[in-house]
Amino acid sequence: MAIENAIFRRTELLLGHAAVEGFSQRRVIIFGVGGVGSWCAESLVRTGFRHLTIVDSDRICITNINRQLMATTKTVGQVKVEALKERLLSINPSANITAIQQIFSEDTADSFTLDGYDYIIDAIDSLKDKALLIEMACQTKAVLFSSMGAALKQDPTKIQVAEFWKVKGDPLARALRNRFKKQKRFPKRKFQCVFSDELLQNLGHNATCGTEQCMCPKSAHGPGDPSLMNHEWCSSKAQINGTLAHITAIFGFMLAGLVVKDAMKPKKD
């Protein structure tokens, strides 16, 4: 604990001992630890959150290096959640980090005890899975914060926060709302989203994994299931868009900031 006290001395100086103690008790689960979720996890651990569960099925690809915290030339091929866990524990060895290499989907949703968390962070890319997580999270007592699309953006000053139904100019939010309306199944409560209304176009060649431009080994993809180890994860995506580290990181830091702000509120009896 002496090391922890030293690590968070500046946090305690700004926010007070009670706040830091409160952070250490909160339980957070992050779905998707790519360009957004990895930076969110880093910020939370550096701020004093000790109980994090990180969920992602993928392995690190060489094309992740431009924006994902734990992606380096030395970690290509490693399981993302395991590489991130190692990084987070190097920051605070006393942290309790649970790494789950799994996709959140209809098939796996019931394996997650969402009611056991104080905060649920949605940084999922898949529209179908994202909609399901939002729907399920809003049925719990946990506070949900969600990231909308962080690709095709360059201007950090356009990144903002709004309640889901008030997000404007974001194609992912629009697609989610249309899906909820079509299915006539809506989130049972409001939740805050990080988004940007900037929308650029890809200017470069849209290379995918499995091409010589990527040079990413097939073994660098797929969940732990041996039958999926040769799956080319990136090339299975319908669309691959350009992204920048400063944008995805700000998205992640803003999500972490929302958690910190909420955790600072007085507890209700």
Side-chain angles (χ1 to χ4, degrees):
M1 291 301 293
I3 293 178
E4 274 196 311
N5 291 339
I7 291 172
F8 304 117
R9 189 168 296 155
R10 295 295 182 94
T11 307
E12 183 174 333
L13 183 62
L14 177 64
L15 303 179
H17 176 76
V20 176
E21 182 63 24
F23 297 159
S24 71
Q25 303 301 317
R26 300 294 200 280
R27 292 174 56 83
V28 183
I29 185 167
I30 302 175
F31 288 94
V33 293
V36 173
S38 60
W39 297 99
C40 178
E42 167 109 350
S43 183
L44 289 174
V45 168
R46 287 187 182 275
T47 304
F49 288 80
R50 297 181 72 252
H51 303 284
L52 263 68
T53 298
I54 49 178
V55 184
D56 198 301
S57 67
D58 210 357
R59 289 173 178 262
I60 295 170
C61 169
I62 198 167
T63 61
N64 299 151
I65 294 175
N66 84 313
R67 70 198 182 281
Q68 297 184 12
L69 176 73
M70 62 287 176
T72 70
T73 54
K74 293 183 179 180
T75 61
V76 169
Q78 293 182 17
V79 174
K80 283 186 179 179
V81 290
E82 294 296 342
L84 181 57
K85 178 179 179 178
E86 182 177 351
R87 162 78 177 190
L88 299 177
L89 289 176
S90 72
I91 296 168
N92 182 7
S94 298
N96 177 21
I97 311 296
T98 301
I100 302 177
Q101 187 192 10
Q102 194 170 56
I103 296 172
F104 180 89
S105 66
E106 289 182 344
D107 294 333
T108 65
D110 289 340
S111 67
F112 297 96
T113 309
L114 297 181
D115 271 316
Y117 297 92
D118 299 293
Y119 296 96
I120 299 171
I121 305 298
D122 159 40
I124 293 177
D125 293 328
S126 164
L127 178 65
K128 180 180 179 181
D129 298 337
K130 192 178 193 75
L132 178 61
L133 176 60
I134 289 172
E135 183 180 349
M136 292 183 64
C138 287
Q139 295 172 359
T140 73
K141 294 181 180 180
V143 178
L144 168 68
F145 294 118
S146 180
S147 171
M148 296 297 106
L152 297 176
K153 305 181 193 307
Q154 180 181 345
D155 187 348
T157 67
K158 292 184 178 294
I159 302 173
Q160 53 195 301
V161 176
E163 197 280 320
F164 172 67
W165 293 100
K166 295 182 179 179
V167 172
K168 296 181 179 180
D170 181 271
L172 181 54
R174 186 184 309 116
L176 283 167
R177 289 193 291 261
N178 289 339
R179 183 181 182 88
F180 289 136
K181 291 174 182 177
K182 182 178 180 180
Q183 295 184 338
K184 296 182 179 180
R185 292 168 54 180
F186 301 94
K188 293 190 177 298
R189 55 183 168 84
K190 296 180 179 181
F191 59 97
Q192 298 290 305
C193 300
V194 177
F195 74 103
S196 167
D197 58 9
E198 181 182 26
L199 190 60
L200 304 177
Q201 298 294 321
N202 288 315
L203 298 180
H205 176 66
N206 196 352
T208 60
C209 284
T211 68
E212 62 181 3
Q213 289 93 340
C214 176
M215 299 182 294
C216 190
K218 291 183 178 181
S219 62
H221 299 281
D225 185 343
S227 67
L228 298 176
M229 286 301 291
N230 289 326
H231 176 62
E232 294 177 23
W233 192 260
C234 291
S235 58
S236 70
K237 295 181 179 180
Q239 177 66 36
I240 297 177
N241 292 313
T243 49
L244 294 170
H246 69 276
I247 295 294
T248 61
I250 293 172
F251 267 65
F253 288 148
M254 289 186 75
L255 287 169
L258 290 172
V259 173
V260 171
K261 182 179 178 181
D262 189 85
M264 290 284 294
K265 294 178 181 178
K267 287 186 178 181
K268 296 180 179 179
D269 294 332

